[in-house]
PDB file of all heavy atoms in Angstrom:
ATOM      1  N   PRO A 221      -5.146  -1.210   6.872  1.00  0.00           N
ATOM      2  CA  PRO A 221      -3.920  -0.979   7.620  1.00  0.00           C
ATOM      3  C   PRO A 221      -3.652  -1.967   8.714  1.00  0.00           C
ATOM      4  O   PRO A 221      -2.460  -2.269   9.032  1.00  0.00           O
ATOM      5  CB  PRO A 221      -4.153   0.404   8.231  1.00  0.00           C
ATOM      6  CG  PRO A 221      -5.109   1.070   7.289  1.00  0.00           C
ATOM      7  CD  PRO A 221      -6.025  -0.015   6.814  1.00  0.00           C
ATOM      8  N   ARG A 222      -4.699  -2.582   9.286  1.00  0.00           N
ATOM      9  CA  ARG A 222      -4.504  -3.624  10.296  1.00  0.00           C
ATOM     10  C   ARG A 222      -3.809  -4.856   9.745  1.00  0.00           C
ATOM     11  O   ARG A 222      -3.135  -5.587  10.484  1.00  0.00           O
ATOM     12  CB  ARG A 222      -5.832  -3.978  10.992  1.00  0.00           C
ATOM     13  CG  ARG A 222      -6.431  -2.904  11.779  1.00  0.00           C
ATOM     14  CD  ARG A 222      -7.839  -3.319  12.279  1.00  0.00           C
ATOM     15  NE  ARG A 222      -8.709  -3.576  11.181  1.00  0.00           N
ATOM     16  CZ  ARG A 222      -9.875  -4.237  11.291  1.00  0.00           C
ATOM     17  NH1 ARG A 222     -10.223  -4.764  12.411  1.00  0.00           N
ATOM     18  NH2 ARG A 222     -10.602  -4.416  10.185  1.00  0.00           N
ATOM     19  N   ALA A 223      -3.973  -5.079   8.481  1.00  0.00           N
ATOM     20  CA  ALA A 223      -3.328  -6.235   7.812  1.00  0.00           C
ATOM     21  C   ALA A 223      -1.840  -6.092   7.826  1.00  0.00           C
ATOM     22  O   ALA A 223      -1.090  -7.082   7.980  1.00  0.00           O
ATOM     23  CB  ALA A 223      -3.842  -6.367   6.357  1.00  0.00           C
ATOM     24  N   GLU A 224      -1.323  -4.879   7.667  1.00  0.00           N
ATOM     25  CA  GLU A 224       0.118  -4.677   7.708  1.00  0.00           C
ATOM     26  C   GLU A 224       0.718  -5.043   9.055  1.00  0.00           C
ATOM     27  O   GLU A 224       1.866  -5.507   9.162  1.00  0.00           O
ATOM     28  CB  GLU A 224       0.491  -3.247   7.339  1.00  0.00           C
ATOM     29  CG  GLU A 224       1.966  -3.059   7.119  1.00  0.00           C
ATOM     30  CD  GLU A 224       2.320  -1.763   6.431  1.00  0.00           C
ATOM     31  OE1 GLU A 224       1.417  -0.970   6.096  1.00  0.00           O
ATOM     32  OE2 GLU A 224       3.518  -1.495   6.210  1.00  0.00           O
ATOM     33  N   THR A 225      -0.077  -4.897  10.115  1.00  0.00           N
ATOM     34  CA  THR A 225       0.366  -5.314  11.445  1.00  0.00           C
ATOM     35  C   THR A 225       0.235  -6.810  11.610  1.00  0.00           C
ATOM     36  O   THR A 225       1.156  -7.447  12.181  1.00  0.00           O
ATOM     37  CB  THR A 225      -0.477  -4.596  12.494  1.00  0.00           C
ATOM     38  OG1 THR A 225      -0.325  -3.175  12.366  1.00  0.00           O
ATOM     39  CG2 THR A 225      -0.013  -5.007  13.896  1.00  0.00           C
ATOM     40  N   LEU A 226      -0.823  -7.372  11.048  1.00  0.00           N
ATOM     41  CA  LEU A 226      -1.087  -8.820  11.293  1.00  0.00           C
ATOM     42  C   LEU A 226      -0.158  -9.735  10.471  1.00  0.00           C
ATOM     43  O   LEU A 226       0.386 -10.720  11.024  1.00  0.00           O
ATOM     44  CB  LEU A 226      -2.532  -9.160  10.911  1.00  0.00           C
ATOM     45  CG  LEU A 226      -2.917 -10.639  11.015  1.00  0.00           C
ATOM     46  CD1 LEU A 226      -2.859 -11.077  12.466  1.00  0.00           C
ATOM     47  CD2 LEU A 226      -4.328 -10.861  10.422  1.00  0.00           C
ATOM     48  N   PHE A 227       0.039  -9.411   9.192  1.00  0.00           N
ATOM     49  CA  PHE A 227       0.853 -10.306   8.365  1.00  0.00           C
ATOM     50  C   PHE A 227       2.319 -10.116   8.614  1.00  0.00           C
ATOM     51  O   PHE A 227       2.885  -9.031   8.504  1.00  0.00           O
ATOM     52  CB  PHE A 227       0.549 -10.015   6.876  1.00  0.00           C
ATOM     53  CG  PHE A 227      -0.790 -10.638   6.417  1.00  0.00           C
ATOM     54  CD1 PHE A 227      -1.926  -9.818   6.413  1.00  0.00           C
ATOM     55  CD2 PHE A 227      -0.880 -11.917   6.037  1.00  0.00           C
ATOM     56  CE1 PHE A 227      -3.138 -10.321   6.005  1.00  0.00           C
ATOM     57  CE2 PHE A 227      -2.085 -12.438   5.578  1.00  0.00           C
ATOM     58  CZ  PHE A 227      -3.204 -11.618   5.594  1.00  0.00           C
ATOM     59  N   ASN A 228       2.982 -11.232   8.951  1.00  0.00           N
ATOM     60  CA  ASN A 228       4.413 -11.235   9.247  1.00  0.00           C
ATOM     61  C   ASN A 228       5.247 -11.411   7.958  1.00  0.00           C
ATOM     62  O   ASN A 228       6.383 -11.024   7.915  1.00  0.00           O
ATOM     63  CB  ASN A 228       4.776 -12.344  10.168  1.00  0.00           C
ATOM     64  CG  ASN A 228       3.980 -12.324  11.462  1.00  0.00           C
ATOM     65  OD1 ASN A 228       2.904 -12.928  11.570  1.00  0.00           O
ATOM     66  ND2 ASN A 228       4.454 -11.595  12.505  1.00  0.00           N
ATOM     67  N   GLY A 229       4.630 -12.090   6.968  1.00  0.00           N
ATOM     68  CA  GLY A 229       5.383 -12.434   5.788  1.00  0.00           C
ATOM     69  C   GLY A 229       4.614 -12.422   4.517  1.00  0.00           C
ATOM     70  O   GLY A 229       3.396 -12.213   4.538  1.00  0.00           O
ATOM     71  N   ILE A 230       5.223 -12.661   3.409  1.00  0.00           N
ATOM     72  CA  ILE A 230       4.684 -12.713   2.069  1.00  0.00           C
ATOM     73  C   ILE A 230       5.064 -13.973   1.401  1.00  0.00           C
ATOM     74  O   ILE A 230       6.240 -14.362   1.364  1.00  0.00           O
ATOM     75  CB  ILE A 230       5.171 -11.501   1.251  1.00  0.00           C
ATOM     76  CG1 ILE A 230       4.755 -10.181   1.971  1.00  0.00           C
ATOM     77  CG2 ILE A 230       4.610 -11.577  -0.172  1.00  0.00           C
ATOM     78  CD1 ILE A 230       5.646  -8.978   1.532  1.00  0.00           C
ATOM     79  N   ALA A 231       4.086 -14.741   0.968  1.00  0.00           N
ATOM     80  CA  ALA A 231       4.299 -16.069   0.331  1.00  0.00           C
ATOM     81  C   ALA A 231       4.061 -15.925  -1.168  1.00  0.00           C
ATOM     82  O   ALA A 231       3.113 -15.253  -1.624  1.00  0.00           O
ATOM     83  CB  ALA A 231       3.356 -17.130   0.956  1.00  0.00           C
ATOM     84  N   TYR A 232       4.829 -16.646  -1.959  1.00  0.00           N
ATOM     85  CA  TYR A 232       4.614 -16.602  -3.396  1.00  0.00           C
ATOM     86  C   TYR A 232       5.039 -17.946  -3.974  1.00  0.00           C
ATOM     87  O   TYR A 232       5.731 -18.762  -3.316  1.00  0.00           O
ATOM     88  CB  TYR A 232       5.404 -15.480  -4.038  1.00  0.00           C
ATOM     89  CG  TYR A 232       6.856 -15.734  -4.118  1.00  0.00           C
ATOM     90  CD1 TYR A 232       7.544 -16.229  -5.266  1.00  0.00           C
ATOM     91  CD2 TYR A 232       7.659 -15.530  -2.970  1.00  0.00           C
ATOM     92  CE1 TYR A 232       8.886 -16.481  -5.261  1.00  0.00           C
ATOM     93  CE2 TYR A 232       9.021 -15.809  -2.960  1.00  0.00           C
ATOM     94  CZ  TYR A 232       9.606 -16.266  -4.161  1.00  0.00           C
ATOM     95  OH  TYR A 232      10.970 -16.508  -4.124  1.00  0.00           O
ATOM     96  N   HIS A 233       4.660 -18.259  -5.245  1.00  0.00           N
ATOM     97  CA  HIS A 233       4.937 -19.501  -5.945  1.00  0.00           C
ATOM     98  C   HIS A 233       5.910 -19.202  -7.083  1.00  0.00           C
ATOM     99  O   HIS A 233       6.050 -18.080  -7.540  1.00  0.00           O
ATOM    100  CB  HIS A 233       3.668 -20.151  -6.455  1.00  0.00           C
ATOM    101  CG  HIS A 233       2.740 -20.566  -5.361  1.00  0.00           C
ATOM    102  ND1 HIS A 233       1.572 -21.181  -5.627  1.00  0.00           N
ATOM    103  CD2 HIS A 233       2.846 -20.466  -3.978  1.00  0.00           C
ATOM    104  CE1 HIS A 233       0.948 -21.512  -4.461  1.00  0.00           C
ATOM    105  NE2 HIS A 233       1.724 -21.035  -3.468  1.00  0.00           N
ATOM    106  N   TRP A 234       6.535 -20.284  -7.600  1.00  0.00           N
ATOM    107  CA  TRP A 234       7.585 -20.134  -8.603  1.00  0.00           C
ATOM    108  C   TRP A 234       7.165 -20.089 -10.038  1.00  0.00           C
ATOM    109  O   TRP A 234       7.903 -19.787 -10.930  1.00  0.00           O
ATOM    110  CB  TRP A 234       8.679 -21.167  -8.362  1.00  0.00           C
ATOM    111  CG  TRP A 234       8.488 -22.433  -9.222  1.00  0.00           C
ATOM    112  CD1 TRP A 234       7.390 -23.101  -9.556  1.00  0.00           C
ATOM    113  CD2 TRP A 234       9.576 -23.136  -9.852  1.00  0.00           C
ATOM    114  NE1 TRP A 234       7.632 -24.182 -10.285  1.00  0.00           N
ATOM    115  CE2 TRP A 234       8.998 -24.251 -10.534  1.00  0.00           C
ATOM    116  CE3 TRP A 234      10.932 -22.973  -9.925  1.00  0.00           C
ATOM    117  CZ2 TRP A 234       9.754 -25.155 -11.235  1.00  0.00           C
ATOM    118  CZ3 TRP A 234      11.715 -23.886 -10.590  1.00  0.00           C
ATOM    119  CH2 TRP A 234      11.119 -24.949 -11.255  1.00  0.00           C
ATOM    120  N   TYR A 235       5.878 -20.427 -10.302  1.00  0.00           N
ATOM    121  CA  TYR A 235       5.449 -20.559 -11.700  1.00  0.00           C
ATOM    122  C   TYR A 235       5.610 -19.188 -12.474  1.00  0.00           C
ATOM    123  O   TYR A 235       5.230 -18.147 -11.941  1.00  0.00           O
ATOM    124  CB  TYR A 235       3.985 -21.074 -11.760  1.00  0.00           C
ATOM    125  CG  TYR A 235       3.824 -22.299 -10.866  1.00  0.00           C
ATOM    126  CD1 TYR A 235       3.239 -22.158  -9.634  1.00  0.00           C
ATOM    127  CD2 TYR A 235       4.291 -23.559 -11.304  1.00  0.00           C
ATOM    128  CE1 TYR A 235       3.107 -23.341  -8.818  1.00  0.00           C
ATOM    129  CE2 TYR A 235       4.130 -24.688 -10.499  1.00  0.00           C
ATOM    130  CZ  TYR A 235       3.552 -24.539  -9.253  1.00  0.00           C
ATOM    131  OH  TYR A 235       3.444 -25.651  -8.420  1.00  0.00           O
ATOM    132  N   PHE A 236       6.066 -19.269 -13.668  1.00  0.00           N
ATOM    133  CA  PHE A 236       6.322 -18.129 -14.538  1.00  0.00           C
ATOM    134  C   PHE A 236       7.437 -17.210 -14.040  1.00  0.00           C
ATOM    135  O   PHE A 236       7.616 -16.099 -14.465  1.00  0.00           O
ATOM    136  CB  PHE A 236       5.045 -17.266 -14.689  1.00  0.00           C
ATOM    137  CG  PHE A 236       3.832 -18.052 -15.101  1.00  0.00           C
ATOM    138  CD1 PHE A 236       2.809 -18.291 -14.162  1.00  0.00           C
ATOM    139  CD2 PHE A 236       3.692 -18.557 -16.376  1.00  0.00           C
ATOM    140  CE1 PHE A 236       1.707 -19.048 -14.533  1.00  0.00           C
ATOM    141  CE2 PHE A 236       2.600 -19.320 -16.728  1.00  0.00           C
ATOM    142  CZ  PHE A 236       1.621 -19.545 -15.785  1.00  0.00           C
ATOM    143  N   ASN A 237       8.288 -17.781 -13.144  1.00  0.00           N
ATOM    144  CA  ASN A 237       9.481 -16.979 -12.709  1.00  0.00           C
ATOM    145  C   ASN A 237      10.387 -16.604 -13.815  1.00  0.00           C
ATOM    146  O   ASN A 237      11.090 -15.590 -13.785  1.00  0.00           O
ATOM    147  CB  ASN A 237      10.262 -17.774 -11.607  1.00  0.00           C
ATOM    148  CG  ASN A 237       9.664 -17.616 -10.191  1.00  0.00           C
ATOM    149  OD1 ASN A 237       8.655 -16.957 -10.044  1.00  0.00           O
ATOM    150  ND2 ASN A 237      10.315 -18.240  -9.237  1.00  0.00           N
ATOM    151  N   ASN A 238      10.429 -17.440 -14.859  1.00  0.00           N
ATOM    152  CA  ASN A 238      11.300 -17.131 -16.010  1.00  0.00           C
ATOM    153  C   ASN A 238      10.792 -15.882 -16.762  1.00  0.00           C
ATOM    154  O   ASN A 238      11.536 -15.343 -17.603  1.00  0.00           O
ATOM    155  CB  ASN A 238      11.399 -18.335 -16.964  1.00  0.00           C
ATOM    156  CG  ASN A 238      10.033 -18.756 -17.510  1.00  0.00           C
ATOM    157  OD1 ASN A 238       9.001 -18.703 -16.779  1.00  0.00           O
ATOM    158  ND2 ASN A 238       9.941 -19.142 -18.740  1.00  0.00           N
ATOM    159  N   ILE A 239       9.585 -15.485 -16.562  1.00  0.00           N
ATOM    160  CA  ILE A 239       9.035 -14.336 -17.220  1.00  0.00           C
ATOM    161  C   ILE A 239       9.128 -13.011 -16.424  1.00  0.00           C
ATOM    162  O   ILE A 239       9.392 -11.966 -16.923  1.00  0.00           O
ATOM    163  CB  ILE A 239       7.566 -14.580 -17.629  1.00  0.00           C
ATOM    164  CG1 ILE A 239       7.422 -15.799 -18.519  1.00  0.00           C
ATOM    165  CG2 ILE A 239       6.941 -13.351 -18.282  1.00  0.00           C
ATOM    166  CD1 ILE A 239       5.982 -16.216 -18.840  1.00  0.00           C
ATOM    167  N   PHE A 240       8.927 -13.199 -15.103  1.00  0.00           N
ATOM    168  CA  PHE A 240       8.869 -12.035 -14.192  1.00  0.00           C
ATOM    169  C   PHE A 240      10.134 -11.969 -13.335  1.00  0.00           C
ATOM    170  O   PHE A 240      10.477 -12.873 -12.592  1.00  0.00           O
ATOM    171  CB  PHE A 240       7.610 -12.118 -13.349  1.00  0.00           C
ATOM    172  CG  PHE A 240       6.359 -12.058 -14.178  1.00  0.00           C
ATOM    173  CD1 PHE A 240       5.716 -13.220 -14.548  1.00  0.00           C
ATOM    174  CD2 PHE A 240       5.858 -10.805 -14.631  1.00  0.00           C
ATOM    175  CE1 PHE A 240       4.545 -13.197 -15.304  1.00  0.00           C
ATOM    176  CE2 PHE A 240       4.664 -10.797 -15.406  1.00  0.00           C
ATOM    177  CZ  PHE A 240       4.069 -11.987 -15.705  1.00  0.00           C
ATOM    178  N   SER A 241      10.816 -10.852 -13.458  1.00  0.00           N
ATOM    179  CA  SER A 241      12.144 -10.644 -12.812  1.00  0.00           C
ATOM    180  C   SER A 241      12.127 -10.852 -11.300  1.00  0.00           C
ATOM    181  O   SER A 241      11.201 -10.391 -10.644  1.00  0.00           O
ATOM    182  CB  SER A 241      12.646  -9.255 -13.167  1.00  0.00           C
ATOM    183  OG  SER A 241      13.780  -8.960 -12.379  1.00  0.00           O
ATOM    184  N   PRO A 242      13.202 -11.433 -10.794  1.00  0.00           N
ATOM    185  CA  PRO A 242      13.331 -11.552  -9.353  1.00  0.00           C
ATOM    186  C   PRO A 242      13.502 -10.142  -8.683  1.00  0.00           C
ATOM    187  O   PRO A 242      13.441 -10.042  -7.428  1.00  0.00           O
ATOM    188  CB  PRO A 242      14.541 -12.396  -9.114  1.00  0.00           C
ATOM    189  CG  PRO A 242      15.374 -12.230 -10.363  1.00  0.00           C
ATOM    190  CD  PRO A 242      14.339 -12.083 -11.455  1.00  0.00           C
ATOM    191  N   ARG A 243      13.716  -9.126  -9.464  1.00  0.00           N
ATOM    192  CA  ARG A 243      13.797  -7.774  -8.915  1.00  0.00           C
ATOM    193  C   ARG A 243      12.530  -7.479  -8.190  1.00  0.00           C
ATOM    194  O   ARG A 243      12.558  -6.612  -7.269  1.00  0.00           O
ATOM    195  CB  ARG A 243      14.044  -6.786 -10.110  1.00  0.00           C
ATOM    196  CG  ARG A 243      14.126  -5.326  -9.624  1.00  0.00           C
ATOM    197  CD  ARG A 243      15.379  -5.095  -8.806  1.00  0.00           C
ATOM    198  NE  ARG A 243      15.181  -3.872  -7.982  1.00  0.00           N
ATOM    199  CZ  ARG A 243      16.101  -3.394  -7.189  1.00  0.00           C
ATOM    200  NH1 ARG A 243      17.270  -3.961  -7.098  1.00  0.00           N
ATOM    201  NH2 ARG A 243      15.852  -2.306  -6.411  1.00  0.00           N
ATOM    202  N   ARG A 244      11.404  -8.049  -8.558  1.00  0.00           N
ATOM    203  CA  ARG A 244      10.151  -7.799  -7.843  1.00  0.00           C
ATOM    204  C   ARG A 244      10.311  -8.170  -6.393  1.00  0.00           C
ATOM    205  O   ARG A 244       9.647  -7.609  -5.492  1.00  0.00           O
ATOM    206  CB  ARG A 244       8.989  -8.586  -8.475  1.00  0.00           C
ATOM    207  CG  ARG A 244       8.661  -8.127  -9.883  1.00  0.00           C
ATOM    208  CD  ARG A 244       7.656  -9.043 -10.582  1.00  0.00           C
ATOM    209  NE  ARG A 244       7.299  -8.547 -11.916  1.00  0.00           N
ATOM    210  CZ  ARG A 244       6.199  -7.882 -12.187  1.00  0.00           C
ATOM    211  NH1 ARG A 244       5.347  -7.644 -11.248  1.00  0.00           N
ATOM    212  NH2 ARG A 244       5.962  -7.438 -13.414  1.00  0.00           N
ATOM    213  N   LEU A 245      11.071  -9.213  -6.073  1.00  0.00           N
ATOM    214  CA  LEU A 245      11.274  -9.648  -4.698  1.00  0.00           C
ATOM    215  C   LEU A 245      12.058  -8.589  -3.950  1.00  0.00           C
ATOM    216  O   LEU A 245      11.708  -8.254  -2.796  1.00  0.00           O
ATOM    217  CB  LEU A 245      12.035 -10.968  -4.662  1.00  0.00           C
ATOM    218  CG  LEU A 245      11.319 -12.153  -5.352  1.00  0.00           C
ATOM    219  CD1 LEU A 245      12.317 -13.294  -5.507  1.00  0.00           C
ATOM    220  CD2 LEU A 245      10.095 -12.570  -4.614  1.00  0.00           C
ATOM    221  N   THR A 246      13.081  -8.082  -4.514  1.00  0.00           N
ATOM    222  CA  THR A 246      13.884  -7.036  -3.868  1.00  0.00           C
ATOM    223  C   THR A 246      13.069  -5.751  -3.716  1.00  0.00           C
ATOM    224  O   THR A 246      13.138  -5.097  -2.675  1.00  0.00           O
ATOM    225  CB  THR A 246      15.180  -6.758  -4.699  1.00  0.00           C
ATOM    226  OG1 THR A 246      15.997  -7.932  -4.643  1.00  0.00           O
ATOM    227  CG2 THR A 246      15.953  -5.587  -4.126  1.00  0.00           C
ATOM    228  N   ASP A 247      12.289  -5.420  -4.728  1.00  0.00           N
ATOM    229  CA  ASP A 247      11.426  -4.224  -4.574  1.00  0.00           C
ATOM    230  C   ASP A 247      10.446  -4.438  -3.443  1.00  0.00           C
ATOM    231  O   ASP A 247      10.214  -3.425  -2.701  1.00  0.00           O
ATOM    232  CB  ASP A 247      10.587  -4.024  -5.925  1.00  0.00           C
ATOM    233  CG  ASP A 247      11.527  -3.566  -7.048  1.00  0.00           C
ATOM    234  OD1 ASP A 247      12.677  -3.157  -6.796  1.00  0.00           O
ATOM    235  OD2 ASP A 247      11.076  -3.672  -8.215  1.00  0.00           O
ATOM    236  N   THR A 248       9.893  -5.609  -3.306  1.00  0.00           N
ATOM    237  CA  THR A 248       8.973  -5.879  -2.191  1.00  0.00           C
ATOM    238  C   THR A 248       9.667  -5.797  -0.848  1.00  0.00           C
ATOM    239  O   THR A 248       9.172  -5.184   0.100  1.00  0.00           O
ATOM    240  CB  THR A 248       8.320  -7.259  -2.343  1.00  0.00           C
ATOM    241  OG1 THR A 248       7.657  -7.340  -3.639  1.00  0.00           O
ATOM    242  CG2 THR A 248       7.326  -7.564  -1.261  1.00  0.00           C
ATOM    243  N   HIS A 249      10.893  -6.353  -0.766  1.00  0.00           N
ATOM    244  CA  HIS A 249      11.666  -6.259   0.477  1.00  0.00           C
ATOM    245  C   HIS A 249      11.955  -4.779   0.819  1.00  0.00           C
ATOM    246  O   HIS A 249      11.874  -4.389   1.982  1.00  0.00           O
ATOM    247  CB  HIS A 249      12.986  -7.042   0.313  1.00  0.00           C
ATOM    248  CG  HIS A 249      13.973  -6.678   1.448  1.00  0.00           C
ATOM    249  ND1 HIS A 249      13.892  -7.177   2.685  1.00  0.00           N
ATOM    250  CD2 HIS A 249      15.041  -5.817   1.363  1.00  0.00           C
ATOM    251  CE1 HIS A 249      14.865  -6.654   3.436  1.00  0.00           C
ATOM    252  NE2 HIS A 249      15.587  -5.850   2.689  1.00  0.00           N
ATOM    253  N   ASP A 250      12.377  -4.037  -0.199  1.00  0.00           N
ATOM    254  CA  ASP A 250      12.742  -2.632   0.072  1.00  0.00           C
ATOM    255  C   ASP A 250      11.507  -1.837   0.611  1.00  0.00           C
ATOM    256  O   ASP A 250      11.698  -0.926   1.403  1.00  0.00           O
ATOM    257  CB  ASP A 250      13.303  -1.981  -1.198  1.00  0.00           C
ATOM    258  CG  ASP A 250      14.643  -2.581  -1.567  1.00  0.00           C
ATOM    259  OD1 ASP A 250      15.280  -3.257  -0.733  1.00  0.00           O
ATOM    260  OD2 ASP A 250      15.119  -2.319  -2.707  1.00  0.00           O
ATOM    261  N   LYS A 251      10.334  -2.156   0.118  1.00  0.00           N
ATOM    262  CA  LYS A 251       9.127  -1.463   0.578  1.00  0.00           C
ATOM    263  C   LYS A 251       8.671  -1.929   1.915  1.00  0.00           C
ATOM    264  O   LYS A 251       8.131  -1.151   2.733  1.00  0.00           O
ATOM    265  CB  LYS A 251       7.985  -1.642  -0.457  1.00  0.00           C
ATOM    266  CG  LYS A 251       8.163  -0.975  -1.747  1.00  0.00           C
ATOM    267  CD  LYS A 251       6.992  -1.124  -2.669  1.00  0.00           C
ATOM    268  CE  LYS A 251       6.058   0.082  -2.556  1.00  0.00           C
ATOM    269  NZ  LYS A 251       4.972   0.093  -3.603  1.00  0.00           N
ATOM    270  N   TYR A 252       8.889  -3.230   2.216  1.00  0.00           N
ATOM    271  CA  TYR A 252       8.405  -3.817   3.424  1.00  0.00           C
ATOM    272  C   TYR A 252       9.523  -4.625   4.084  1.00  0.00           C
ATOM    273  O   TYR A 252       9.450  -5.872   4.186  1.00  0.00           O
ATOM    274  CB  TYR A 252       7.190  -4.704   3.166  1.00  0.00           C
ATOM    275  CG  TYR A 252       6.116  -3.999   2.409  1.00  0.00           C
ATOM    276  CD1 TYR A 252       5.966  -4.168   1.043  1.00  0.00           C
ATOM    277  CD2 TYR A 252       5.242  -3.124   3.096  1.00  0.00           C
ATOM    278  CE1 TYR A 252       4.929  -3.463   0.330  1.00  0.00           C
ATOM    279  CE2 TYR A 252       4.286  -2.405   2.365  1.00  0.00           C
ATOM    280  CZ  TYR A 252       4.102  -2.600   1.016  1.00  0.00           C
ATOM    281  OH  TYR A 252       3.130  -1.914   0.299  1.00  0.00           O
ATOM    282  N   PRO A 253      10.586  -3.986   4.542  1.00  0.00           N
ATOM    283  CA  PRO A 253      11.766  -4.699   5.037  1.00  0.00           C
ATOM    284  C   PRO A 253      11.533  -5.528   6.262  1.00  0.00           C
ATOM    285  O   PRO A 253      12.304  -6.401   6.598  1.00  0.00           O
ATOM    286  CB  PRO A 253      12.763  -3.562   5.314  1.00  0.00           C
ATOM    287  CG  PRO A 253      11.962  -2.340   5.510  1.00  0.00           C
ATOM    288  CD  PRO A 253      10.794  -2.546   4.588  1.00  0.00           C
ATOM    289  N   ASN A 254      10.456  -5.275   6.954  1.00  0.00           N
ATOM    290  CA  ASN A 254      10.153  -6.035   8.160  1.00  0.00           C
ATOM    291  C   ASN A 254       9.241  -7.252   7.930  1.00  0.00           C
ATOM    292  O   ASN A 254       8.826  -7.934   8.862  1.00  0.00           O
ATOM    293  CB  ASN A 254       9.499  -5.152   9.255  1.00  0.00           C
ATOM    294  CG  ASN A 254       8.160  -4.586   8.807  1.00  0.00           C
ATOM    295  OD1 ASN A 254       7.937  -4.362   7.602  1.00  0.00           O
ATOM    296  ND2 ASN A 254       7.274  -4.287   9.717  1.00  0.00           N
ATOM    297  N   LYS A 255       8.945  -7.516   6.612  1.00  0.00           N
ATOM    298  CA  LYS A 255       8.166  -8.664   6.293  1.00  0.00           C
ATOM    299  C   LYS A 255       9.079  -9.707   5.551  1.00  0.00           C
ATOM    300  O   LYS A 255       9.723  -9.390   4.608  1.00  0.00           O
ATOM    301  CB  LYS A 255       7.033  -8.301   5.307  1.00  0.00           C
ATOM    302  CG  LYS A 255       6.100  -7.126   5.771  1.00  0.00           C
ATOM    303  CD  LYS A 255       5.399  -7.498   7.081  1.00  0.00           C
ATOM    304  CE  LYS A 255       4.496  -6.357   7.487  1.00  0.00           C
ATOM    305  NZ  LYS A 255       3.867  -6.594   8.818  1.00  0.00           N
TER     306      LYS A 255
END
């Protein structure tokens, strides 16, 4: 739980983006709107 306080953001790479929907980004934002 302390990690949720420490980490300000989420980093990711673009490889295989054509396979995995960008909806995953919105889902992540919706779960963690302050990151």
Side-chain angles (χ1 to χ4, degrees):
R222 292 174 299 163
E224 189 165 359
T225 301
L226 177 65
F227 283 96
N228 306 90
I230 299 157
Y232 73 100
H233 296 180
W234 93 319
Y235 310 102
F236 310 108
N237 275 2
N238 59 322
I239 300 174
F240 297 95
S241 169
R243 179 68 202 181
R244 291 170 180 262
L245 300 167
T246 295
D247 290 345
T248 303
H249 165 79
D250 290 347
K251 291 184 95 170
Y252 307 100
N254 62 332
K255 308 297 181 187

